[in-house]
C-alpha cells in the first residue's frame, strides 16, 4: 500500500470548508452561494463540499481567459516560459502523487493502483508537452513569385475544456498541458461528481505563478456551466470528453459561433479472439479489457468477439476468472475492482443488465448489485458476462460504461470483421491471434482510432487518442493533440518592394 490507511482522512479538506473555483488567479465561491456535497462512492460518505457554479461564473472565467490571452500578453508568451511552468507543475504533482492518487480513489472509486497510474501519467503528460512547446513547427515553401512564403502555427486562443468523471485528473490534465504548451488560455469544467483532484491541481497551478486568467477552473452542472463555455462567443475552441449524446448537443451549439470543437466520445469496442490466440494471454486481457476501472473506460473491450470453436474452453475459464475478481473499496490492499462512480450511474448499469436479460441474452455470471458486509453502502456491481447475444441487442449496440461484457461469436475472418465494425462507435479494437499476418490484416480493417494486437489498453501520451465514427472528432495526446490547439497562418513577404501596377491609375 502506498500510504497507510490511517492517513486516508488526512488527504481530505475539512468538510465544513467550501472548496472554491479558480478564476482570474483568485479562489472564489459561486455568485449563487450554492454548494454541493461530494460523495465517496464506496460508502456514500461526504468527502467534500464544493461551490456550485452558474453560467454567470463561467462568463467571468471566460472573460478572464479572454483578457489574459488578447489583452495581457499571453498570446505573445514565450514557448520556453510556458514549458517552464509545465515542468514546475509536473514536479509539484509528482511530489504529491500519493495524495492525488488517494483523493482520486476516494472520489471516483477506482483502485489505488489505477489511481496512481493516472497521476504518474498526468506528470508525464505535463513533461511531454513541456518538451513539445519548444519544438520547431511551421513551414517554408517555394512560390512562383518574388515572395518569401512561410507558415506559422499560433495558439488558437481561449479554450473551454469539459471532462467526464471516469479519469477526473488525467483527462483534464492532458488537455490543459497541450493547450498551455500551445500558448492558449483556458477554462476547465470537471464533472459534477468528481471535482476534487482538479481543484487540487489548480492549487499547484496557483503556486507556480502563471499570470491571472491564463488557467481557470469552474465548477457546476454541465447544462449550465458547460453549456456557457460552448455557446459563449469569446471561447475559440471546445475540447470535450464525454458521452456521445452530450457531444452531439455540444456540436450543434458550437455551430452557432462556428467554434472549433474536438470530441472524445463513447465506445463499444470489439476484442476479437481467434482460436489460434495464446489462450492465457487472451483470457487475461479479455478480463482487463472490460473490468479495469469497473468498465468505466471509453475504450473498454465491452464486446468479446470469439471464434466459435474456442467457445467451450474459453468461456468457462473466463467466467471462472471473473468470479475471482476481488471487489471492495479502492484503497484496500488486494482490491482489484472498486464501486461505480455514483448511484445514478450504478442504476443505469443495472438497468442495462435487466435489458440484456429481457432481450434474451444468457447471463453467464454477475448481474447484481453487491450489498453484503462493508460493501452495502457502496455502488458495487458484480462483474457481469452475457452470452448468446445477437448483433441487434441493445447490450451489444449501446455503451453501458460498466462491468458488463457481451460475447459474440464468429466462424470466419470476414464475419469477425463485420461484427466488430457493426456498431455506431469506432473508438478502440483489439485482435488476439498468433498468426501475425492475419492479426495485421484484421486490425487494418477495424474502423477505430485506438487498436491493439495481442494486448489491450496500453496507450501512451506520445500517441494520438481518439475515435472514428460516433466516437469523436479530433485527437488528444501526442503531436496530434498539440495541433488541436493551434491555428495555421500563412505569411507572404515581398522580396521586391515595388508597386504591382494592377490598376494603372491613369
Ligand atoms: P457526460 O457526457 O454526461 O458528461 C461529460 C461532461 O460534459 C461533464 O463535465 C458534464 O458536466 C458536461 N456536460 C453535460 N451536459 C453538458 C452540456 N449540455 N453542455 C456542456 N457540458 C455538458 O459524460 P460522463 O457520463 O461524465 O462520462 C462518460 C462518457 O464519457 C462515456 O460515454 C465515455 O465513453 C466518455 N469518455 C470518452 C473518452 C474518450 O477519450 N473518448 C474518455 C473518457 C470518457
Amino acid at each position: 500500500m502506498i500510504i497507510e490507511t490511517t492517513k486516508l482522512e488526512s488527504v481530505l479538506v475539512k468538510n465544513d470548508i467550501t472548496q472554491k473555483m479558480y478564476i482570474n488567479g483568485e479562489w472564489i465561491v459561486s455568485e449563487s452561494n450554492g454548494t454541493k456535497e461530494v460523495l465517496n462512492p464506496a460508502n456514500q460518505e461526504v468527502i467534500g463540499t464544493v461551490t456550485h457554479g452558474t453560467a454567470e461564473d463561467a462568463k467571468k472565467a471566460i472573460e478572464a481567459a479572454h483578457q489574459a490571452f488578447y489583452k495581457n500578453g499571453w498570446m505573445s508568451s514565450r514557448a520556453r516560459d510556458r514549458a517552464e511552468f509545465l515542468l514546475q507543475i509536473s514536479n509539484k504533482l509528482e511530489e504529491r502523487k500519493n495524495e492525488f492518487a488517494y483523493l482520486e480513489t476516494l472520489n471516483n472509486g477506482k483502485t489505488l493502483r489505477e489511481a496512481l497510474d493516472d497521476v504518474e501519467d498526468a506528470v508525464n503528460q505535463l513533461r511531454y508537452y513541456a518538451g513539445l512547446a519548444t519544438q520547431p513547427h511551421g513551414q517554408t515553401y517555394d512560390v512562383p513569385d518574388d515572395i518569401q512564403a512561410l507558415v506559422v502555427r499560433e495558439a488558437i486562443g481561449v479554450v473551454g475544456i469539459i471532462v467526464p468523471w471516469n479519469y477526473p485528473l488525467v483527462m483534464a490534465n492532458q488537455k490543459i498541458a497541450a493547450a498551455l504548451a500551445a500558448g492558449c488560455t483556458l477554462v476547465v469544467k470537471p464533472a459534477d461528481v468528481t471535482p476534487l483532484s482538479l481543484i487540487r491541481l489548480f492549487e499547484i497551478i496557483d503556486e507556480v505563478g502563471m499570470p491571472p486568467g491564463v488557467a481557470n477552473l469552474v465548477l457546476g452542472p454541465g447544462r449550465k456551466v458547460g453549456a456557457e463555455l460552448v455557446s459563449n462567443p469569446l471561447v475559440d475552441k471546445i475540447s470535450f470528453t464525454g458521452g456521445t449524446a452530450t457531444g452531439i448537443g455540444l456540436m450543434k451549439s458550437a455551430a452557432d459561433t462556428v467554434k472549433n470543437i474536438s470530441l472524445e466520445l463513447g465506445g463499444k469496442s470489439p476484442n476479437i479472439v481467434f482460436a489460434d490466440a495464446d489462450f492465457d494471454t487472451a483470457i487475461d486481457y479479455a478480463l482487463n479489457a472490460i473490468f479495469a476501472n469497473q468498465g468505466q473506460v471509453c475504450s473498454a473491450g465491452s464486446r468479446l468477439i470469439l471464434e466459435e470453436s474456442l467457445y467451450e474452453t474459453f468461456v468457462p475459464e473466463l467466467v471462472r476468472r471473473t468470479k475471482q475478481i476481488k471487489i471492495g473499496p479502492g484503497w484496500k490492499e488486494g482490491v482489484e475492482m472498486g464501486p461505480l462512480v455514483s448511484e445514478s450511474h450504478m442504476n443505469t448499469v443495472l438497468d442495462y443488465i435487466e435489458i440484456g436479460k429481457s432481450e434474451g441474452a444468457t447471463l453467464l455470471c454477475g448481474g447484481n448489485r453487491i450489498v453484503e458486509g462493508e460493501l452495502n453502502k457502496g455502488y458495487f456491481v458484480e462483474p457481469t458476462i452475457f452470452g448468446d447475444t445477437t448483433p441487434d441487442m441493445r447490450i451489444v449496440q449501446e455503451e453501458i460504461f460498466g462491468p458488463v461484457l457481451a460475447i459474440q461469436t464468429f466462424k470466419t475472418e470476414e464475419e469477425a470483421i463485420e461484427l466488430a465494425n457493426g456498431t455506431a462507435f469506432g473508438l478502440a479494437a483489439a485482435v488476439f491471434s498468433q498468426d501475425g499476418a492475419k492479426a495485421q490484416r484484421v486490425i487494418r480493417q477495424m474502423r477505430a482510432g485506438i487498436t491493439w494486437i495481442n494486448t489491450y489498453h496500453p496507450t501512451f501520451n506520445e500517441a494520438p487518442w481518439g475515435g472514428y465514427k460516433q466516437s469523436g472528432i479530433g485527437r488528444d495526446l501526442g503531436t496530434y493533440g498539440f495541433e488541436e490547439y493551434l491555428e495555421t497562418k500563412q505569411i507572404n513577404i515581398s522580396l521586391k518592394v515595388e508597386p504591382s501596377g494592377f490598376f494603372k491609375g491613369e
Side-chain angles (χ1 to χ4, degrees):
M1 189 56 67
I2 55 173
I3 308 179
E4 307 98 67
T5 314
T6 48
K7 289 195 188 152
L8 197 71
E9 293 304 316
S10 69
V11 167
L12 299 174
V13 172
K14 269 181 71 188
N15 213 4
D16 53 354
I17 294 174
T18 302
Q19 299 190 57
K20 299 176 182 160
M21 298 183 277
Y22 188 73
I23 297 178
N24 207 20
E26 287 179 11
W27 292 98
I28 64 158
V29 294
S30 168
E31 50 92 38
S32 73
N33 273 323
T35 58
K36 190 171 191 301
E37 288 184 333
V38 181
L39 300 184
N40 177 345
N43 54 22
Q44 296 188 47
E45 275 175 20
V46 178
I47 53 170
T49 306
V50 298
T51 191
H52 203 44
T54 63
E56 283 309 308
D57 295 315
K59 276 185 192 145
K60 279 186 212 151
I62 293 165
E63 277 155 22
H66 194 262
Q67 184 83 9
F69 186 81
Y70 289 100
K71 305 264 166 62
N72 295 348
W74 191 254
M75 193 169 97
S76 328
S77 61
R78 301 263 154 80
R80 189 189 279 187
D81 295 340
R82 300 196 301 269
E84 184 56 34
F85 279 128
L86 291 175
L87 290 175
Q88 285 182 39
I89 298 168
S90 74
N91 292 342
K92 285 174 181 283
L93 182 59
E94 190 172 48
E95 278 164 24
R96 293 168 62 178
K97 72 177 177 188
N98 290 347
E99 169 202 335
F100 270 81
Y102 247 114
L103 193 62
E104 203 76 325
T105 291
L106 292 177
N107 193 176
N108 165 277
K110 64 177 65 197
T111 60
L112 211 39
R113 64 174 175 171
E114 291 187 54
L116 194 58
D117 278 352
D118 288 1
V119 184
E120 284 169 356
D121 224 21
V123 169
N124 179 263
Q125 287 166 351
L126 291 156
R127 291 183 180 155
Y128 173 76
Y129 281 112
L132 218 53
T134 55
Q135 292 302 302
H137 43 75
Q139 291 175 342
T140 59
Y141 48 93
D142 267 2
V143 292
D145 211 338
D146 292 324
I147 293 277
Q148 167 72 65
L150 53 116
V151 171
V152 292
R153 309 301 309 277
E154 297 177 337
I156 205 164
V158 177
V159 182
I161 294 175
I162 304 174
V163 290
W165 44 256
N166 63 333
Y167 290 88
L169 177 69
V170 92
M171 289 287 136
N173 186 78
Q174 68 196 30
K175 296 176 190 291
I176 293 171
L180 287 178
C184 297
T185 60
L186 50 94
V187 181
V188 188
K189 195 207 89 63
D192 238 5
V193 287
T194 52
L196 298 186
S197 54
L198 268 193
I199 295 175
R200 216 156 284 194
L201 182 70
F202 270 80
E203 286 174 15
I204 292 179
I205 287 175
D206 185 44
E207 280 167 28
V208 304
M210 259 186 305
V214 168
N216 305 274
L217 173 72
V218 290
L219 306 173
R223 275 172 291 103
K224 292 184 178 157
V225 177
E228 180 61 36
L229 293 178
V230 182
S231 63
N232 194 305
L234 297 185
V235 175
D236 298 297
K237 179 186 173 87
I238 287 292
S239 178
F240 173 79
T241 301
T244 295
T246 315
I248 290 170
L250 261 61
M251 201 168 164
K252 288 180 182 159
S253 167
D256 289 338
T257 49
V258 196
K259 196 167 276 142
N260 182 311
I261 183 164
S262 41
L263 301 169
E264 299 288 345
L265 307 177
K268 191 75 186 178
S269 300
N271 177 17
I272 303 173
V273 178
F274 284 98
D276 60 9
D278 180 90
F279 189 85
D280 293 339
T281 304
I283 290 274
D284 178 89
Y285 279 107
L287 293 166
N288 180 264
I290 181 60
F291 298 129
N293 208 27
Q294 295 75 252
Q296 302 166 135
V297 183
C298 51
S299 53
S302 50
R303 292 183 297 135
L304 173 64
I305 307 209
L306 193 60
E307 187 155 355
E308 206 173 87
S309 59
L310 199 56
Y311 195 94
E312 293 307 321
T313 46
F314 198 91
V315 173
E317 179 61 6
L318 187 68
V319 168
R320 188 187 71 77
R321 291 279 305 272
T322 300
K323 287 179 176 167
Q324 288 178 343
I325 292 174
K326 293 182 185 57
I327 300 164
W331 59 86
K332 276 206 154 176
E333 186 83 52
V335 163
E336 296 172 317
M337 224 179 99
L340 299 187
V341 75
S342 66
E343 184 171 15
S344 70
H345 184 58
M346 174 187 70
N347 288 335
T348 303
V349 171
L350 292 172
D351 284 349
Y352 266 111
I353 292 171
E354 290 311 310
I355 289 167
K357 289 188 214 164
S358 68
E359 284 178 319
T362 304
L363 185 64
L364 297 171
C365 64
N368 302 299
R369 180 178 182 179
I370 306 171
V371 287
E372 284 90 42
E374 62 166 355
L375 305 192
N376 69 340
K377 285 210 175 117
Y379 309 128
F380 295 93
V381 173
E382 292 171 337
T384 298
I385 302 180
F386 279 108
D388 299 319
T389 68
T390 53
D392 58 323
M393 287 180 178
R394 286 183 62 192
I395 59 160
V396 172
Q397 291 296 327
E398 297 175 19
E399 185 186 44
I400 300 174
F401 216 53
V404 182
L405 178 68
I407 302 178
Q408 301 177 266
T409 54
F410 66 90
K411 287 199 182 76
T412 64
E413 189 177 314
E414 292 68 32
E415 202 186 343
I417 293 167
E418 197 180 326
L419 287 174
N421 286 332
T423 74
F425 298 104
L427 190 56
V431 176
F432 284 79
S433 167
Q434 295 197 78
D435 177 340
K438 179 168 69 179
Q440 290 189 50
R441 208 160 55 226
V442 173
I443 216 74
R444 292 293 297 267
Q445 294 295 315
M446 292 297 102
R447 302 301 293 164
I450 305 153
T451 66
W452 299 277
I453 292 177
N454 291 327
T455 183
Y456 205 105
H457 276 326
T459 51
F460 305 94
N461 292 324
E462 293 80 359
W465 178 272
Y468 287 24
K469 293 156 65 179
Q470 291 188 26
S471 289
I473 296 175
R475 294 291 179 270
D476 268 352
L477 295 173
T479 55
Y480 297 83
F482 188 55
E483 302 263 323
E484 295 283 342
Y485 300 99
L486 293 172
E487 278 288 11
T488 304
K489 177 185 282 175
Q490 57 165 293
I491 302 181
N492 298 295
I493 306 163
S494 174
L495 300 176
K496 219 167 166 189
V497 183
E498 59 183 21
S500 72
F502 188 79
F503 293 109
K504 302 289 177 229
E506 288 162 4

